[in-house]
Amino acid sequence: MHVTFGGETGDLAYAYVREILHPAILNHSVRVWLLADHLARQQDLHGAEREALAVACLFHDSGTAAPHDGVQRFEVEGADAARAFLADHGWSEDLGRQVWEAVALHTSPGIAERMGTLPRLVRLAVLADFGRTDLIGAEGRNELTEALDRLPRLDIETALADAVVAQALRNPEKAPPSSWPGGLLAAHQANPDRTGGGNPAF
């Protein structure tokens, strides 16, 4: 399936994350871009901001990948990676900050939605990919659904939860209490021999 990501930097971002992300997480990241771009059209987002949105979507779970498995929460590691990527490609500090916020806050309900256009769109798109179909209006829905269906889910809920928990087991500081990673870790520790059904905290 051919998907474009708003420009040369967006396409390079996809080429990069394609090499490091678990296949399920990669497909999820592209679906989040398609959903965010669909929502962005209602706000006339275009040009550099639209391409920055693509980078934010592609990098939003990059903190689960081995090259970005640092000491911070996966959301913050991914945000740092996205901002560094944009800086390396000559992007402005302002757009880099907006992308950083979009990635770092995408698991923060009630905060991301109020931090500006990019954080709000990434947050809503993530929610939409995990079942909030009410966020997508009727206009263009059929075309969007067809595009999403070409990107198999590959049990993303399990793949993403397992990736976050695996990092947290190696370094519990990556999953502070009351955070989304912390909830996943606590649920795993409460039932470490769980088989099937996914992490109940997802």
Side-chain angles (χ1 to χ4, degrees):
M1 175 184 174
H2 180 66
V3 179
T4 58
F5 300 96
E8 181 181 2
T9 303
D11 290 341
L12 289 172
Y14 173 69
Y16 175 71
V17 299
R18 184 178 59 195
E19 296 299 318
I20 64 170
L21 288 178
H22 183 287
I25 298 175
L26 176 65
N27 279 8
H28 163 64
S29 299
V30 177
R31 285 196 307 272
V32 166
W33 156 240
L34 293 173
L35 288 158
D37 191 41
H38 178 83
L39 293 168
R41 289 178 202 146
Q42 302 168 20
Q43 303 180 36
D44 196 29
L45 197 73
H46 58 275
E49 281 190 295
R50 179 173 178 261
E51 191 170 5
L53 176 62
V55 174
C57 292
L58 292 168
F59 271 86
H60 85 276
D61 283 336
S62 63
T64 63
H68 305 300
D69 182 11
V71 298
Q72 305 170 101
R73 287 169 51 171
F74 86 96
E75 305 99 314
V76 178
E77 294 291 347
D80 286 350
R83 182 158 58 183
F85 179 87
L86 288 176
D88 287 345
H89 288 84
W91 281 58
S92 72
E93 183 177 339
D94 178 62
L95 278 174
R97 175 188 54 79
Q98 292 180 52
V99 168
W100 189 94
E101 292 172 349
V103 177
L105 295 172
H106 80 270
T107 64
S108 299
I111 298 176
E113 293 90 336
R114 298 183 61 175
M115 288 298 292
T117 300
L118 298 192
R120 181 173 64 254
L121 288 171
V122 173
R123 172 69 183 166
L124 294 178
V126 168
L127 291 175
D129 195 45
F130 287 126
R132 284 288 306 276
T133 55
D134 60 298
L135 298 173
I136 305 300
E139 184 176 353
R141 179 188 285 267
N142 290 341
E143 180 182 345
L144 174 63
T145 299
E146 290 176 4
L148 296 172
D149 286 345
R150 297 190 189 103
L151 294 158
R153 298 191 66 80
L154 303 176
D155 201 11
I156 175 57
E157 292 82 359
T158 298
L160 182 54
D162 286 353
V164 173
V165 168
Q167 290 186 349
L169 289 172
R170 292 191 294 272
N171 179 6
E173 291 184 5
K174 290 176 68 70
S178 301
S179 69
W180 189 68
L184 293 174
L185 177 62
H188 169 79
Q189 291 175 327
N191 185 11
D193 299 320
R194 169 186 54 84
T195 57
N199 189 308
F202 193 92

